[in-house]
Amino acid sequence: MYANDGFRELQRPECLHLLASAPVGRIVHTRHALPAVLPVNFSLDGDGAVVLRTSASSELVRAIDGAVVAFEADEMDAATRAGWSVVVTGAASVVTDAAEHERLTRSGPRSWVPAPREVFVRIEPELVTGRELVGGTLRPAAARWP
Amino acid sequence: MYANDGFRELQRPECLHLLASAPVGRIVHTRHALPAVLPVNFSLDGDGAVVLRTSASSELVRAIDGAVVAFEADEMDAATRAGWSVVVTGAASVVTDAAEHERLTRSGPRSWVPAPREVFVRIEPELVTGRELVGGTLRPAAARWP
């Protein structure tokens, strides 16, 4: 979160609520020592962890397994200059536990491009931040949020 | 670009054409040694450089001036599992030349949250990559693209 830039900071429960409504997010990591970003579909696990499903042999898995990554989702409307953005930052790891893999096969995200052998990747919600902009000005403190 | 992940790779002219149609992108950088990502509005300069406009005193400027960053825009439709994503990777730098600043004041992006003193940041289009997914399957080589 950048201070004093005209956005309202969102609290963790608001962030996770908004994140749950987003069909697609973007995984931000390092690839060949350069910043890299890739849109993916995902699901939120009960504890707020972001779960991705991808080919076991994908370069993405090799790039992020064991690394700290950021996962971002947003909804921005250029016409009204309003929207929100949420970022989850934490360690990414391939789910290796068989029972957990089985559980995610039932309840986790579906692949957009199914592969022969797929794995789930969990991103721990160590840091959850978000910001909201309403109409190009600060949203009043009186919020719609319970 | 990740190979063999079910997406069609886009060429640089296609990438810049799609990027020009996007109202918002995301700047991917490093902040406090962690991956960071922030949605921003932008414009494309004639040479394909991404131009942002922000407060001169913003933390974003301090974080990215002189650094290699990635800038991503996408359009993804979860219902049809179709969409595209484009990433520009290159050095970011604050525009310090007065004539160039003046030119961008006329032709560059507008601030969503105007600040008293604003600067333009250019991201050089050193690496421009993109991918397209159509209906969850590979788009045929026969393309709509001239």
Side-chain angles (χ1 to χ4, degrees):
Chain A
M1 185 61 45
Y2 291 93
N4 303 320
D5 60 357
F7 284 78
R8 184 176 82 85
E9 190 172 336
L10 299 173
Q11 301 305 307
R12 185 180 177 114
E14 301 177 76
C15 289
L16 294 177
H17 183 88
L18 289 167
L19 199 54
S21 74
V24 173
R26 294 150 203 98
I27 184 151
V28 169
H29 55 295
T30 300
R31 182 172 183 244
H32 301 161
L34 289 175
V37 49
L38 193 72
V40 290
N41 65 316
F42 71 103
S43 68
L44 268 194
D45 215 355
D47 58 356
V50 172
V51 180
L52 320 177
R53 181 176 188 153
T54 183
S55 165
S57 61
S58 68
E59 281 190 61
L60 178 65
V61 166
R62 284 196 295 279
I64 68 176
D65 189 21
V68 172
V69 304
F71 184 82
E72 191 262 2
D74 61 50
E75 197 178 291
M76 290 280 169
D77 183 338
T80 59
R81 298 182 175 188
W84 57 267
S85 166
V86 166
V87 180
V88 171
T89 308
S93 57
V94 170
V95 172
T96 54
D97 180 79
E100 181 68 358
H101 182 95
E102 177 57 28
R103 179 180 74 82
L104 291 171
T105 302
R106 292 191 304 270
S107 65
R110 303 276 156 203
S111 289
W112 284 17
V113 184
R117 200 165 67 85
E118 294 183 327
V119 291
F120 294 99
V121 178
R122 264 179 71 92
I123 301 169
E124 301 304 325
E126 293 162 29
L127 191 64
V128 179
T129 60
R131 55 213 317 267
E132 183 180 35
L133 180 72
V134 175
T137 57
L138 264 175
R139 185 185 183 77
R144 61 176 161 75
W145 215 269
Chain B
M1 184 61 46
Y2 291 93
N4 303 318
D5 61 357
F7 284 77
R8 184 176 80 86
E9 191 172 336
L10 300 173
Q11 301 304 307
R12 185 181 177 111
E14 301 177 76
C15 290
L16 294 177
H17 183 89
L18 289 167
L19 199 54
S21 75
V24 174
R26 295 150 201 97
I27 184 148
V28 169
H29 57 294
T30 300
R31 182 172 183 245
H32 301 162
L34 289 175
V37 49
L38 192 73
V40 290
N41 66 316
F42 70 103
S43 67
L44 268 194
D45 214 355
D47 58 357
V50 172
V51 180
L52 320 177
R53 181 176 188 153
T54 184
S55 164
S57 61
S58 69
E59 282 191 60
L60 179 65
V61 166
R62 284 195 295 278
I64 68 175
D65 189 22
V68 171
V69 304
F71 184 83
E72 191 261 2
D74 61 51
E75 198 178 291
M76 290 281 169
D77 184 338
T80 59
R81 299 184 173 187
W84 57 265
S85 165
V86 166
V87 180
V88 171
T89 308
S93 57
V94 170
V95 172
T96 53
D97 180 81
E100 182 67 358
H101 182 95
E102 177 58 29
R103 180 180 74 82
L104 290 172
T105 302
R106 291 190 305 269
S107 66
R110 303 276 156 204
S111 290
W112 284 17
V113 184
R117 201 167 65 86
E118 294 184 326
V119 290
F120 295 99
V121 177
R122 264 178 71 92
I123 301 170
E124 301 303 326
E126 291 162 30
L127 191 64
V128 179
T129 60
R131 55 212 318 267
E132 183 180 35
L133 179 72
V134 176
T137 58
L138 265 174
R139 185 184 182 79
R144 61 174 161 76
W145 214 269

